[in-house]
Amino acid sequence: QVQLEESGGGWVQAGGSLKLSCAASGRSFSSYAMGWFRDCPGKEREFVAAINWSGDTTYYGDSVKGRFTISRDNSKNMVYLQMDSLKPEDTAIYYCAGDGGLTAAEVRQYNEYENWGQGTQVTVSS
């Protein structure tokens, strides 16, 4: 089990950038796949990005591919989401999630993760 806490959300104009951070506590972090998901108003929770335990494999949702970058630093128990070229439709609550033993297909499924942060709001104005 790990405890997760997101930070870095805020307000930004379209075309701008934000970097989200997720701080993890717990000895399992370095063995966990980590993901970012978002809740947009009126929509189901959406997969944004994920990264495997070692950081050498990343996955992205189609709507953010080429604009967002996920990374991790296991020495600091941190996961990051660099968001560039932000659009108003990126407005959402962003959640960090983690779990072990996930396959390449499972990392895209929010119901496969047991450990979640409290979320951080990102608002992109047009």
Side-chain angles (χ1 to χ4, degrees):
Q1 289 266 335
V2 293
Q3 289 74 49
L4 303 172
E5 183 173 2
E6 305 92 338
S7 61
W11 176 90
V12 64
Q13 286 191 319
S17 298
L18 280 176
K19 186 174 184 178
L20 304 184
S21 299
C22 175
S25 59
R27 289 181 289 180
S28 302
F29 172 78
S30 60
S31 67
Y32 275 19
M34 299 298 296
W36 287 96
F37 293 81
R38 66 187 183 187
D39 285 351
C40 302
K43 296 184 179 180
E44 187 177 4
R45 182 161 292 184
E46 180 186 6
F47 169 72
V48 175
I51 189 167
N52 74 334
W53 67 272
S54 64
D56 61 5
T57 304
T58 56
Y59 312 82
Y60 294 95
D62 289 341
S63 62
V64 306
K65 199 174 297 182
R67 299 188 297 122
F68 291 11
T69 304
I70 188 171
S71 61
R72 70 189 295 163
D73 185 340
N74 286 348
S75 69
K76 297 181 179 179
N77 278 19
M78 296 291 296
V79 179
Y80 306 100
L81 185 68
Q82 177 67 44
M83 305 185 295
D84 298 319
S85 302
L86 282 161
K87 304 175 182 180
E89 51 264 44
D90 294 318
T91 295
I93 301 173
Y94 284 72
Y95 296 91
C96 175
D99 215 321
L102 300 182
T103 66
E106 290 170 340
V107 297
R108 297 175 178 269
Q109 307 299 321
Y110 68 84
N111 57 356
E112 295 290 345
Y113 291 82
E114 286 196 359
N115 305 283
W116 290 85
Q118 82 290 348
T120 186
Q121 176 72 47
V122 171
T123 303
V124 184
S125 65
S126 57

